[in-house]
Amino acid sequence: MTVVLKIGRNLYEVAFSLVENHPDAMLAGLISKRHNDKQGRQLFVEKDGERFRYCLDYAKGGRISLPITKDVVLADLAYFGFDVNNFRFNCATTGECLIHS
């Protein structure tokens, strides 16, 4: 089963199992309430939809390849309920960074 998220102007179809892997994240609480109350409707979150893909990358594999600043991504991850206190960055000279916990 999936849920459709509208983050800013972007639509994402996300598997419930992915959300369940991060039960303490904000989306898990929102999706669980929305799924029980209004199955089949989109969940809207007023954030940058382009950057949300980095949160999904982290949720899927625990790593993010960053073409934007780490502070921006950390702020988005924190907003969506991920614990960013122990994140480490591995940045190449090209400016691309990998983030992992």
Side-chain angles (χ1 to χ4, degrees):
M1 294 187 66
T2 62
V3 63
V4 176
L5 304 173
K6 185 171 184 184
I7 311 293
R9 294 182 180 187
N10 299 76
L11 290 177
Y12 294 91
E13 186 173 3
V14 178
F16 282 114
S17 59
L18 180 64
V19 175
E20 290 170 344
N21 287 338
H22 302 278
D24 296 329
M26 177 191 82
L27 286 178
L30 289 175
I31 289 171
S32 130
K33 290 176 191 173
R34 179 68 64 156
H35 178 63
N36 292 333
D37 296 340
K38 301 173 183 172
Q39 188 171 354
R41 300 182 92 186
Q42 292 178 4
L43 174 62
F44 178 73
V45 178
E46 184 64 48
K47 285 297 277 183
D48 187 309
E50 292 293 318
R51 293 195 321 247
F52 177 68
R53 66 186 169 143
Y54 303 110
C55 295
L56 281 181
D57 285 346
Y58 175 75
K60 291 175 186 175
R63 295 171 57 114
I64 302 170
S65 179
L66 296 175
I68 61 176
T69 68
K70 63 184 179 183
D71 293 335
V72 170
V73 172
L74 285 174
D76 285 345
L77 286 166
Y79 177 85
F80 283 105
F82 292 98
D83 180 9
V84 298
N85 292 322
N86 296 317
F87 278 16
R88 295 186 316 265
F89 290 86
N90 181 7
C91 298
T93 56
T94 61
E96 181 174 276
C97 294
L98 296 177
I99 182 172
H100 49 91
S101 57

